[in-house]
Amino acid sequence: MKKITQIAFVFAVVLFLVSCKNTKQKIQEHVSTYNNSSTIKGHGITSTAAKAFLNDNKIEIRIETNLEENDSNKTAYKESFPELLKEMIKNNQISTELIDEGVKFDVYFLAYNNAILAQQLVDKDELAVLENGASTDNKETAKL
């Protein structure tokens, strides 16, 4: 009986170790899942793709559109971009689990010629801002 318990324990430990994934494996899995199944709906959006930067613990997400690069589009999408990011977090297209592990999501909203209409780096600090609905423009620093 003691031998069976030891074998079962060793088997359980090996199974546990095999099932654990490190952050780089989780990044690769997230990017693969995103590219195979993610869709983002919205005015002018034509496609979206993610790319992993394993050495930097970063995932780049590009949202491509058929929109022109002009000041009115830049202003409109810069204002609406935080709502799109919140929706992506809600749909796990931006993984809070990975952010908790130190991964950063660099999200770009691009015009038809790949010019940046809006861009945001989502890390732990920005995630807190997005979840609490606060603005990053109103941050104050402590004065000593």
Side-chain angles (χ1 to χ4, degrees):
M1 188 64 167
K2 187 176 181 183
K3 274 266 200 232
I4 293 173
T5 305
Q6 288 174 340
I7 293 172
F9 178 74
V10 169
F11 181 73
V13 169
V14 169
L15 186 62
F16 177 74
L17 290 175
V18 169
S19 67
C20 290
K21 296 178 187 173
N22 66 30
T23 302
K24 291 186 187 322
Q25 290 170 322
K26 290 178 184 177
I27 289 172
Q28 289 174 320
E29 185 178 286
H30 184 83
V31 167
S32 178
T33 301
Y34 184 94
N35 287 333
N36 290 328
S37 63
S38 287
T39 58
I40 298 176
K41 298 188 190 237
H43 175 70
I45 295 175
T46 57
S47 67
T48 182
K51 182 177 179 182
F53 293 89
L54 298 177
N55 291 336
D56 297 331
N57 265 4
K58 183 172 86 171
I59 296 175
E60 177 182 285
I61 297 176
R62 298 169 53 95
I63 302 167
E64 298 175 353
T65 70
N66 60 6
L67 301 171
E68 288 186 38
E69 175 195 9
N70 58 40
D71 290 337
S72 64
N73 279 341
K74 282 184 179 183
T75 302
Y77 287 97
K78 187 174 184 177
E79 291 173 5
S80 65
F81 201 52
E83 289 303 317
L84 176 63
L85 294 175
K86 287 179 191 177
E87 191 67 27
M88 292 175 74
I89 291 166
K90 179 180 160 191
N91 294 334
N92 202 35
Q93 293 168 318
I94 295 176
S95 170
T96 56
E97 178 186 340
L98 286 174
I99 290 173
D100 288 340
E101 291 184 27
V103 177
K104 297 175 182 170
F105 285 78
D106 204 358
V107 187
Y108 294 89
F109 196 80
L110 304 171
Y112 73 93
N113 61 354
N114 285 331
I116 298 170
L117 295 175
Q119 185 263 335
Q120 184 67 51
L121 182 69
V122 181
D123 57 8
K124 286 183 182 183
D125 294 335
E126 185 61 27
L127 179 64
V129 169
L130 288 168
E131 289 178 337
N132 295 329
S135 172
T136 55
D137 297 336
N138 297 330
K139 286 185 182 175
E140 289 188 29
T141 56
K143 295 179 182 168
L144 300 175

